[in-house]
Amino acid sequence: GENVEQHPSTLSVQEGDSAVIKCTYSDSASNYFPWYKQELGKRPQLIIDIRSNVGEKKDQRIAVTLNKTAKHFSLHITETQPEDSAVYFCAASRRSGGYNKLIFGAGTRLAVHP
Amino acid sequence: SQTIHQWPATLVQPVGSPLSLECTVEGTSNPNLYWYRQAAGRGLQLLFYSVGIGQISSEVPQNLSASRPQDRQFILSSKKLLLSDSGFYLCAWSPRVGANEKLFFGSGTQLSVL
């Protein structure tokens, strides 16, 4: 069945460093790849997304890259700040029966130390 | 603008008791609606989705059921809770048309079954 693998499960960086989180997906029909940020006890919030017709997308300090051939996509956070500390989830989806079925990775707990 | 309301925020229930979690969406019509569960330190598992009133699809066999009595109302229920039902339950919606891949989450319900 569909599967999304996410690595690493935990990531610790110093403030100002970059952080990279990687995901792979199994369903070659997947065409939409969002990233969510979840702070402790809060709802996941969409921070950036990319569609399969694009290889890279950037929004200020956050960028996402997609390699459709290898079925890899990655989240890059530059100049990390303590408020970036959270759990980040990747997901992959494709249209199925009238809706887009999102399959989530297991999450990466990012800690940014001052 | 669209908003999603989910309640209660926390719930402590004894094993064998019933459950009813409610979710409503405002500011949109005919949304796709979803229930996700997040076990402690884990990813997001899709439990149910609905593309219309009375239309419910289940992703995994379990002790829970869902209903959609109105267009913007989604209810998660159980007749008899199990210990394994503990977790963080998230309601979510996505647009039926347009950019319908984007998923927006409610604030979640932390359920503890004792």
Side-chain angles (χ1 to χ4, degrees), chain B residues 17-29:
Chain B
S17 63
L19 173 74
S20 181
L21 303 181
E22 190 163 342
C23 171
T24 60
V25 180
E26 296 178 358
T28 187
S29 297

Side-chain angles (χ1 to χ4, degrees), chain B residues 14-64:
Chain B
V15 169
S17 63
L19 173 74
S20 181
L21 303 181
E22 190 163 342
C23 171
T24 60
V25 180
E26 296 178 358
T28 187
S29 297
N30 302 315
N32 290 333
L33 297 173
Y34 310 81
W35 278 109
Y36 281 84
R37 176 169 59 200
Q38 186 175 27
R42 302 289 295 278
L44 296 155
Q45 180 186 36
L46 178 62
L47 302 176
F48 299 96
Y49 69 91
S50 171
V51 299
I53 295 174
Q55 300 179 61
I56 309 295
S57 296
S58 173
E59 283 293 302
V60 292
Q62 59 201 300
N63 183 43
L64 303 168

Side-chain angles (χ1 to χ4, degrees), chain B residues 80-101:
Chain B
K80 288 186 177 182
L81 284 168
L82 306 172
L83 286 173
S84 56
D85 291 324
S86 294
F88 191 48
Y89 288 83
L90 289 155
C91 180
W93 76 276
S94 66
R96 179 69 59 79
V97 296
N100 62 355
E101 305 100 336

